[in-house]
Amino acid sequence: MATIQVFSDITFTARDGLRLHVRHYPSKGLSGHQKRPVICLPGLTRNGRDFHELALALSSRQGEERDVYAFDYRGRGLSEFDPDWRNYNVPNEALDVIDFVILRNLAGAAIAGTSRGGLIAMVMAALQPTLMGPVVLNDIGPVIERNGLARISAYVGRIPTPGTWPEAAKLVRDMNKRAFPAVPDETWDKVARQWFNEKNGRPAPGFDAKLGNTLSVLDGPMPPMWNQFACLKRHPLLVLRGEHSDILSAETVEEMRRRTPVFADYLAKGEGHAPLLIDPGSIGVIAGFLATCDSTAYEPLRAIA
């Protein structure tokens, strides 16, 4: 029996000519009222496949169905690799997302950003605040813990591509099991298929290995982004944190709460960096948060480029 694809593939051209890929999960709602769409932005080496379970839930949640768009940054997933690795940076990727929002007339959409995706959301709020609605930050804040950044720097671009999918699942499980004790072993096969692309039935690199160059040029810890975070004050904000996160500390979450007037948070028990957004608790809190932001019917706004 043929598998029914529940999403469509969008390809658009960035301002420098690179072809970028986005998954679109259309709303399953039959009413004429549009709920606010969501644009999902993944982590540093990840891609839109990370949001598959969340997107399915949000696009089909009875009475609250909404369009979901899951982004592949340049050099990740099914987007083209950039010939110049220096273009793999948060401001450049924020411009790519802004261009997509304008192209699809999605001004006012919610942004759900995991890790690097949350940093991109902060930069977008600074550059084009009227393009965004509510914001979900998944295990990221203005301060990135040094230990977590060192861990990520140690593996980006240095992991060999497994020869088979069982090998890929074992690799992903072994790298994450300690920080994700709540995740059952059988789940890591799904995560591996998010992490790696597929070519001829086998795992293939899911991101440009030259992304590692962007981390190797860092001189010490990343500077705090409190100024950019302050630009989120006009947006309802939900922050998720993994219980065992080495990127977002509980102290940073408390400081974010102190500085932000409209704030909700959720602790993903038994997960590290970053919560996988596949458990009922995480999905439910995100869906509920977005529903509270739907006090009026969503009307797309014509953005000014």
Side-chain angles (χ1 to χ4, degrees), residues 249-267:
S249 70
E251 291 75 16
T252 297
V253 172
E254 286 305 311
E255 182 63 16
M256 293 164 72
R257 184 194 308 280
R258 191 182 71 80
R259 299 187 186 208
T260 309
V262 185
F263 186 104
D265 67 321
Y266 177 78
L267 183 67

Side-chain angles (χ1 to χ4, degrees), residues 15 98-99 101-103 127-128 130-131 302-305:
R15 62 185 67 194
I98 288 172
D99 286 348
V101 170
I102 294 171
L103 176 68
L127 295 176
Q128 290 268 20
T130 60
L131 286 185
R302 183 62 62 183
I304 300 176

Side-chain angles (χ1 to χ4, degrees), residues 74 105 109 135 153 190 197 222 234-235 279 302:
R74 55 182 61 217
N105 191 24
V135 175
S153 299
K190 292 182 180 179
N197 288 350
M222 287 185 62
R234 68 187 303 273
H235 304 276
D279 63 290
R302 183 62 62 183

Side-chain angles (χ1 to χ4, degrees), residues 56-256:
L56 287 178
L58 294 180
S59 63
S60 60
R61 188 179 177 94
Q62 188 171 8
E64 300 171 7
E65 303 93 338
R66 62 188 78 241
D67 284 328
V68 181
Y69 299 85
F71 215 92
D72 288 355
Y73 309 131
R74 55 182 61 217
R76 286 80 143 188
L78 301 183
S79 289
E80 287 185 341
F81 288 10
D82 198 305
D84 184 354
W85 62 265
R86 294 171 185 82
N87 290 329
Y88 297 138
N89 58 69
V90 169
N92 211 32
E93 290 155 14
L95 290 176
D96 289 339
V97 179
I98 288 172
D99 286 348
F100 179 75
V101 170
I102 294 171
L103 176 68
R104 302 290 294 196
N105 191 24
L106 295 173
I111 302 291
T114 293
S115 194
R116 187 181 184 97
L119 301 181
I120 290 173
M122 293 182 210
V123 171
M124 288 176 62
L127 295 176
Q128 290 268 20
T130 60
L131 286 185
M132 300 165 51
V135 175
V136 177
L137 299 181
N138 183 24
D139 212 61
I140 193 67
V143 178
I144 297 178
E145 295 301 309
R146 193 166 187 172
N147 288 345
L149 186 60
R151 175 183 57 81
I152 293 171
S153 299
Y155 75 76
V156 174
R158 296 177 172 85
I159 299 174
T161 303
T164 67
W165 285 113
E167 290 176 7
K170 183 179 185 304
L171 172 67
V172 174
R173 183 188 68 230
D174 291 348
M175 290 182 63
N176 292 281
K177 184 72 173 178
R178 183 174 180 181
F180 289 81
V183 176
D185 285 347
E186 58 270 19
T187 299
W188 295 114
D189 177 70
K190 292 182 180 179
V191 176
R193 291 176 184 273
Q194 296 169 358
W195 193 339
F196 293 97
N197 288 350
E198 183 171 354
K199 185 176 181 180
N200 299 324
R202 294 176 177 272
F207 62 90
D208 187 349
K210 292 181 180 177
L211 271 172
N213 295 345
T214 66
L215 296 175
S216 64
V217 299
L218 289 176
D219 182 17
M222 287 185 62
M225 295 180 62
W226 288 113
N227 289 339
Q228 292 82 357
F229 178 76
C231 297
L232 294 178
K233 283 185 177 180
R234 68 187 303 273
H235 304 276
L237 179 63
L238 168 65
V239 177
L240 288 84
R241 177 178 176 269
E243 181 182 19
H244 306 300
S245 176
D246 58 1
I247 288 290
L248 178 62
S249 70
E251 291 75 16
T252 297
V253 172
E254 286 305 311
E255 182 63 16
M256 293 164 72

Side-chain angles (χ1 to χ4, degrees), residues 53-54 57-58 61 64 238 240 266 277-292:
E53 297 297 330
L54 176 65
L58 294 180
R61 188 179 177 94
E64 300 171 7
L238 168 65
L240 288 84
Y266 177 78
L277 306 185
I278 60 176
D279 63 290
S282 296
I283 292 174
V285 76
I286 293 173
F289 168 74
L290 294 174
T292 65

